[in-house]
Amino acid sequence: MSNDYCFAPPAVVSAPVRGTAARFPIRRIFCVGRNYEAHAKEMGVAVDREAPFYFTKAAGDYVPSGATVPYPPGTGNYHYEMELVVAVGKAGFRIDEEAALGHVFGYACGLDMTRRDLQLAAREQRRPWDLGKDFEQSAVLSEIVPADQCGHPASGVIELRVNGQTKQSSDLSLLIHGVPALLAHLSRYYHLEPGDLVYTGTPEGVGPVVAGDRIEGSIAGVGGIALAVGAAE
Ligand code: MN
C-alpha cells in the first residue's frame, strides 16, 4: 500500500500544441515584471535595464484560451495583461544567451490576469504579490506553437481588444529583455526544465474588465487568445 496516496493527486496540467495531439505538460509558470518601458511608466515605476525580475503562478492557475472565467474573488479591479509566452522544451542551467533559443519548445499567447488592487496594495506595503497575481484561473494560455512552425518571434504586433475595442497595441521588438536574455538570466537562478513557461511581460494599455466582457488578443506569427469574463461566484 506504500504507493497509495491519502487522496487522489491532482491531474497533470497541460496545454494543446498546434499540429499534434500530444499535449504540453505545464511544470512551472514564471512571469516577468515591467518588461516594456511604456508599461512600467503607466505603473508609475522605473524599469531596470540591467536585470529582469520575476513572480510565479502555480501550474494549476492555467486556463485554456476560449474559456469563460468567473470574476475572481477579493478584487474590484481585475486587469488583463497580454503577453508572449515562451514554452521551455529542453532542460538547462546557466544557459548562455547564444544557446538560449535551443531550449525553446515553442511560443504562445498568454493573459497574465491580475487582481490589480491587491497587487498594488502589496507593492505599497512591500509584501509579495501572490494575492494579486497567483490566483485560480489567472494564467490564460493559447495553444503552443512549436518553434519549428513559428520561428523565434523577436518583432511583430502584440495586441489586445476588449469587446472589439483595442486596448493594447505594441511590438515584441520593444521588450526590454528579449527571450534569449530572459532564459539566460532566469537559468542563473533555476534549473529550467521542459514544461516551464515564461510569460515575458505586457506592453502598456492594461486595464480593468467586468462581467460580460470579452477579451481577444493576438501576436503576429503566433496566433490568438480569447477569454470571457463571467459573473462572480
Ligand atoms: Mn504580466
Side-chain angles (χ1 to χ4, degrees):
M1 299 301 280
S2 61
N3 289 327
D4 284 352
Y5 296 102
C6 298
F7 47 85
V12 171
V13 177
S14 65
V17 177
R18 185 180 295 174
T20 173
R23 296 178 65 88
F24 182 91
I26 298 173
R27 178 183 170 89
R28 290 177 293 191
I29 302 176
F30 298 99
C31 303
V32 182
R34 298 169 203 158
N35 204 14
Y36 290 83
E37 184 103 47
H39 171 62
K41 200 165 285 180
E42 76 180 348
M43 295 299 290
V45 282
V47 299
D48 183 347
R49 291 200 162 271
E50 297 305 307
F53 74 94
Y54 311 92
F55 55 90
T56 59
K57 296 185 187 239
D61 295 343
Y62 164 78
V63 60
S65 174
T68 298
V69 299
Y71 193 91
T75 184
N77 197 15
Y78 178 45
H79 274 210
Y80 53 79
E81 294 191 357
M82 179 67 199
E83 312 199 359
L84 174 71
V85 179
V86 184
V88 174
K90 181 184 161 194
F93 182 53
R94 296 178 181 143
I95 299 167
D96 288 334
E97 206 168 309
E98 297 69 31
L101 294 181
H103 294 260
V104 174
F105 175 86
Y107 296 89
C109 298
L111 294 169
D112 164 18
M113 298 306 292
T114 300
R115 296 192 280 213
R116 189 73 71 201
D117 43 359
L118 301 188
Q119 182 208 4
L120 293 182
R123 195 179 85 181
E124 186 83 11
Q125 296 169 87
R126 296 173 170 246
R127 288 176 177 172
W129 288 5
D130 301 50
L131 282 181
K133 287 291 195 179
D134 179 7
F135 59 96
E136 294 152 7
Q137 298 184 297
S138 66
V140 190
L141 194 73
S142 72
E143 65 175 353
I144 294 169
V145 186
D148 58 18
Q149 293 178 43
C150 67
H152 295 279
S155 65
V157 175
I158 176 170
E159 281 191 316
L160 180 138
R161 296 168 295 285
V162 177
N163 303 326
Q165 192 182 357
T166 300
K167 299 289 189 182
Q168 294 189 280
S169 183
S170 185
D171 195 285
L172 296 178
S173 62
L174 295 175
L175 278 168
I176 294 166
H177 306 284
V179 172
L182 288 175
L183 295 183
H185 185 265
L186 189 58
S187 68
R188 285 158 55 183
Y189 299 90
Y190 297 91
H191 294 76
L192 294 185
E193 297 286 349
D196 289 338
L197 297 176
V198 183
Y199 282 60
T200 58
T202 195
E204 71 277 18
V206 300
V209 282
V210 297
D213 282 348
R214 300 191 65 84
I215 302 169
E216 293 172 302
S218 60
I219 298 174
V222 177
I225 189 169
L227 185 74
V229 183
E233 290 175 308

